[in-house]
Amino acid sequence: MTAGWQQTLRRPALMERSRIMQAIRQYFEAGGFLEVETPLRIPAPAPESHIDAVPSGDWFLQTSPELCMKRLLASGYERLFQICRCWRDGERGRLHIPEFTMLEWYRAEGDYTDLMADCEGLIRSAAACVEKRPFLVVNGAEVGLDPPWERLTVREAFLRHAGCTMEEALAADTFDELMVAAIEPHLGMETPTLLCDYPAERAALARLKAADPTVAERFELYIAGIELANGFSELTDAVEQRRRFDEEETFRRSQGRIPYPEPARFLEALPSMPPSAGIALGLDRLVMVLLDAASIDAVVAFTPEEL
Amino acid sequence: MYTVADLKKGLKITLDGDPYVVIAFDFTKPGKGQALYRTKMRNMITGVILDRTYRSGETFETASLEDRKMQFLYKEDDHFVFMDNQNYEQYRMSEEAVGDARNYLIDNLPVDILIFKDKAIGVDLPNFVQLKVIETLPWVKGDTSGSDSKPATVETGYILRVPPFIEEGETIVIDTRSGEYSTRVKG
């Protein structure tokens, strides 16, 4: 009689979630984006220092559809989006669930500033289907959604909130700790924040900024202190991409992680990819923020602990 | 020995020689950065609260505490009194040291009490306890308002959400790790 009571309680959230997903699809279709599905099970994930894929036979469950999406760009597709499941081993917390839903979209002939504008449009449409008002209330904070949203460089964020420079934090190996404890709680409180221009060493697949190659054309979207999306102008230089993959994979193996084969077909396709930009947004977290839920658990049908 | 992967609310570890209990914990990961384990811990002797952030791979010593079988006797002012089942010795513990366990302490409840240098400093509860509902709104059969839960007060005074069909006087099972309703005890 009480079986599935948690699921019963989540019905209103799951109904809103379904509406939000429909609004997202409508938004992209209206913008001329093609919805695609690429395989969830892949032979070679992109090596990244701090993301672990779940093995599936000799292959892996994807941590993101990124490499297949970019191979489609290289084949001539211009505007793509995908809503799919991704897996990241060991990630569990208030904002993390090891199997989650990702929304990714890509624009050929665009850069990261186009993606920032997309975020402003997309999230306003998604919010409009939940509440007919131009702001969100998240954990007591009233976050206005009218554009333009705050654009803040990582460098400025360190000076403003961390009491040191970005370079000092990198040198002292405290970048991540300061980001979590000192910076993130201030981001996206009045309007969403587009935190941009990450240090070059924190961008495995992003293009460096021509005017300042110490930083990459990469940004993260924050609302009420919660990180929702990571987007960047894509690196299209296959030689440089292979060098970065080697560096990340060497680090992964030095940490005793499961070794990945090189994503060879992606690297072969990369020279054919036009200048592009792509972004990954955590859909569960977006629903969580729009519904002002306290935890990601409140917006999924089942948590792993409930299986 | 524990690793960061074992961190959770209620875990007891040794830090600088003192026993600490984890009172809040969250896994975080700043965009493309490394996993960080943000932890709030209470010193089980002094009550001092510490905020610490750990990285993957860090390890902790288990807290070396003696566990004694006791039962809860009664509450006196802001102290809780327990009795050792073997030698009938009584131990007093402050409300702060008892923590969330106070929500489940009914007279004669068997519990494990943690002892450090002959002082009672913590309560280890069973994962599930049975408590009687003393106050909740009646269930209207055929109610179509769509409300899926309602508040209920149990005999310790603790208030939690329960399914609408739970009636006053019924006994329910509560998961002490989450503080949430688990199931009803069929009478």
Side-chain angles (χ1 to χ4, degrees):
Chain A
M1 193 152 187
T2 59
W5 188 54
Q6 291 301 329
Q7 282 61 44
T8 310
L9 285 184
R10 286 185 203 139
R11 183 206 291 260
L14 296 185
M15 289 170 71
E16 294 286 10
R17 182 183 170 116
S18 170
R19 267 198 286 277
I20 291 165
M21 288 180 74
Q22 286 170 39
I24 290 170
R25 289 198 156 97
Q26 277 165 14
Y27 179 83
F28 282 112
E29 272 159 32
F33 284 77
L34 176 68
E35 179 169 10
V36 292
E37 292 180 289
T38 59
L40 304 180
R41 194 170 162 271
I42 55 170
E48 295 199 53
S49 296
H50 303 296
I51 297 178
D52 286 317
V54 177
S56 168
D58 293 342
W59 287 15
F60 296 89
L61 298 176
Q62 67 176 0
T63 58
S64 141
E66 184 166 9
L67 300 187
C68 284
M69 296 294 270
K70 289 188 205 171
R71 285 178 65 187
L72 291 176
L73 290 176
S75 304
Y77 293 79
E78 282 155 353
R79 291 178 181 195
L80 295 170
F81 80 102
Q82 174 158 204
I83 296 173
C84 61
R85 287 286 170 156
C86 293
W87 291 261
R88 294 184 180 182
D89 200 21
E91 301 195 1
R92 184 73 178 104
R94 188 175 76 89
L95 301 175
H96 291 84
I97 194 159
E99 176 177 344
F100 62 100
T101 302
M102 189 83 102
L103 161 65
E104 289 205 0
W105 71 95
Y106 289 81
R107 281 180 173 274
E109 309 301 341
D111 69 11
Y112 74 146
T113 60
D114 297 307
L115 299 175
M116 294 182 197
D118 286 341
C119 286
E120 290 171 338
L122 170 74
I123 289 175
R124 277 189 310 146
S125 322
C129 83
V130 179
E131 289 274 6
K132 302 276 180 268
R133 59 186 190 202
F135 61 89
L136 297 173
V137 176
V138 189
N139 202 13
E142 213 172 271
V143 184
L145 293 179
D146 288 335
W149 295 352
E150 180 188 33
R151 273 124 173 113
L152 177 70
T153 65
V154 175
R155 210 172 241 132
E156 285 164 4
F158 270 88
L159 289 176
R160 194 181 294 180
H161 301 300
C164 68
T165 66
M166 178 179 92
E167 287 76 9
E168 283 164 353
L170 288 167
D173 191 22
T174 53
F175 185 92
D176 289 335
E177 277 86 354
L178 288 171
M179 187 61 89
V180 165
I183 298 175
E184 285 187 340
H186 299 286
L187 301 179
M189 301 309 284
E190 277 163 31
T191 74
T193 296
L194 299 153
L195 184 68
C196 53
D197 298 350
Y198 275 71
E201 55 266 56
R202 297 281 165 147
L205 296 114
R207 181 172 82 198
L208 300 185
K209 213 172 159 123
D212 176 8
T214 64
V215 297
E217 291 187 357
R218 177 189 151 205
F219 74 98
E220 298 257 359
L221 165 64
Y222 282 88
I223 296 181
I226 296 171
E227 179 207 329
L228 288 181
N230 172 53
F232 44 87
S233 308
E234 303 290 348
L235 177 68
T236 50
D237 176 343
V239 175
E240 170 64 7
Q241 185 65 76
R242 176 173 279 117
R243 189 193 66 74
R244 291 195 204 169
F245 276 172
D246 285 349
E247 205 175 282
E248 299 275 340
E249 184 60 13
T250 304
F251 175 84
R252 293 188 68 261
R253 293 185 187 197
S254 76
Q255 301 283 303
R257 310 286 218 348
I258 301 168
Y260 298 160
E262 185 178 76
R265 290 216 163 126
F266 165 73
L267 288 169
E268 276 165 34
L270 200 52
S272 316
M273 190 168 92
S276 308
I279 178 166
L281 181 148
L283 198 126
D284 312 276
R285 281 194 203 169
L286 175 61
V287 175
M288 191 186 145
V289 163
L290 294 181
L291 302 186
D292 193 18
S295 153
I296 202 164
D297 294 17
V299 301
V300 298
F302 291 92
T303 65
E305 294 78 14
E306 289 163 354
L307 293 175
Chain B
M1 184 99 106
Y2 294 116
T3 71
V4 287
D6 299 312
L7 281 172
K8 59 171 190 243
K9 225 172 130 177
L11 188 77
K12 295 171 186 78
I13 61 171
T14 299
L15 215 63
D16 311 322
D18 276 359
Y20 280 81
V21 58
V22 175
I23 54 175
F25 165 73
D26 197 24
F27 171 91
T28 65
K29 213 172 173 192
K32 302 264 177 188
Q34 62 192 310
L36 296 174
Y37 301 79
R38 302 191 75 189
T39 310
K40 203 185 270 287
M41 292 177 290
R42 196 184 69 235
N43 183 312
M44 296 178 74
I45 299 163
T46 65
V48 169
I49 290 171
L50 270 191
D51 282 300
R52 290 273 174 102
T53 299
Y54 297 100
R55 293 181 173 190
S56 300
E58 295 193 62
T59 57
F60 312 92
E61 292 301 322
T62 49
S64 53
L65 297 169
E66 191 193 340
D67 233 354
R68 283 201 208 146
K69 302 268 175 232
M70 300 204 189
Q71 54 174 304
F72 172 60
L73 290 184
Y74 53 87
K75 192 179 172 209
E76 189 183 60
D77 301 326
D78 53 354
H79 280 77
F80 291 76
V81 182
F82 299 86
M83 185 180 68
D84 190 317
N85 289 350
Q86 283 201 320
N87 58 18
Y88 309 112
E89 209 175 312
Q90 292 188 9
Y91 288 84
R92 288 159 61 84
M93 211 187 301
S94 70
E95 200 156 318
E96 191 187 32
V98 169
D100 289 345
R102 85 185 70 147
N103 295 334
Y104 316 106
L105 291 176
I106 44 162
D107 294 359
N108 307 320
L109 183 77
V111 287
D112 288 345
I113 296 293
L114 302 168
I115 303 290
F116 185 80
K117 294 186 177 155
D118 209 41
K119 198 166 172 272
I121 59 167
V123 184
D124 253 354
L125 289 172
N127 287 343
F128 296 97
V129 294
Q130 296 190 0
L131 291 171
K132 189 186 276 187
V133 173
I134 56 165
E135 197 183 332
T136 191
L137 293 169
W139 184 35
V140 183
K141 283 213 167 125
D143 174 14
T144 53
S145 69
S147 108
D148 292 317
S149 73
K150 60 177 185 178
T153 308
V154 293
E155 52 194 309
T156 57
Y158 178 53
I159 300 171
L160 75 168
R161 311 275 322 166
V162 300
F165 51 77
I166 296 293
E167 310 267 14
E168 271 180 28
E170 268 194 274
T171 299
I172 60 171
V173 177
I174 301 173
D175 187 329
T176 60
R177 293 161 296 187
S178 61
E180 285 171 6
Y181 167 89
S182 174
T183 183
R184 77 208 291 196
V185 179
K186 289 184 183 87

